[in-house]
Amino acid sequence: MKRTLELHQLEKLADRFKLLSEASRLRILQAICREERSVSEICDLTKLNQANVSKHLQLLKSAGVVACRRVGICRYYRIIDLDLLDLCSQGDRQIEPES
């Protein structure tokens, strides 16, 4: 870290990392990292059930990571926290591909 953070700032930073500590949320973020998708599309791509996807999307939305728009009965999600997306990309570079 380039600077010393106050306790409340460190707690906010820890909360951001907690968002990334669940593999299902990372799968969801991966599914919507390039384009907005509906909940059913996210379910198809991640192979997670709708209730699980909705729970994680609500958490990500509350944290300001994703935004949602409604079209009829469908909800479409997109990433709005580009800094968090960059953080995921940096972490991805640290993981070696499996052979």
Side-chain angles (χ1 to χ4, degrees):
M1 285 188 207
K2 295 181 182 180
R3 60 188 172 117
T4 302
L5 300 176
E6 298 292 326
L7 179 59
H8 73 280
Q9 294 170 311
L10 290 169
E11 288 171 349
K12 285 182 81 169
L13 183 60
D15 287 342
R16 288 180 60 78
F17 280 111
K18 284 179 194 174
L19 287 172
L20 302 178
S21 68
E22 169 60 49
S24 295
R25 281 193 288 276
L26 292 174
R27 289 165 64 187
I28 291 168
L29 290 172
Q30 180 175 272
I32 61 174
C33 69
R34 288 187 174 75
E35 65 183 278
E36 178 182 72
R37 295 194 189 271
S38 70
V39 173
S40 61
E41 290 173 316
I42 295 168
C43 291
D44 289 343
L45 289 168
T46 63
K47 306 300 185 227
L48 297 168
N49 67 49
Q50 190 270 329
N52 200 10
V53 168
S54 293
K55 176 187 77 167
H56 288 299
L57 285 169
Q58 187 57 44
L59 182 67
L60 292 166
K61 184 178 174 200
S62 295
V65 175
V66 301
C68 173
R69 72 179 176 94
R70 229 182 177 162
V71 178
I73 60 169
C74 293
R75 291 178 186 254
Y76 291 84
Y77 287 86
R78 69 185 184 286
I79 296 178
I80 58 172
D81 186 339
L82 300 181
D83 290 335
L84 193 67
L85 191 59
D86 286 342
L87 183 60
C88 289
S89 295
Q90 290 173 17
D92 181 45
R93 290 191 292 270
Q94 302 301 317
I95 305 297
E96 300 213 6
E98 292 184 11
S99 318

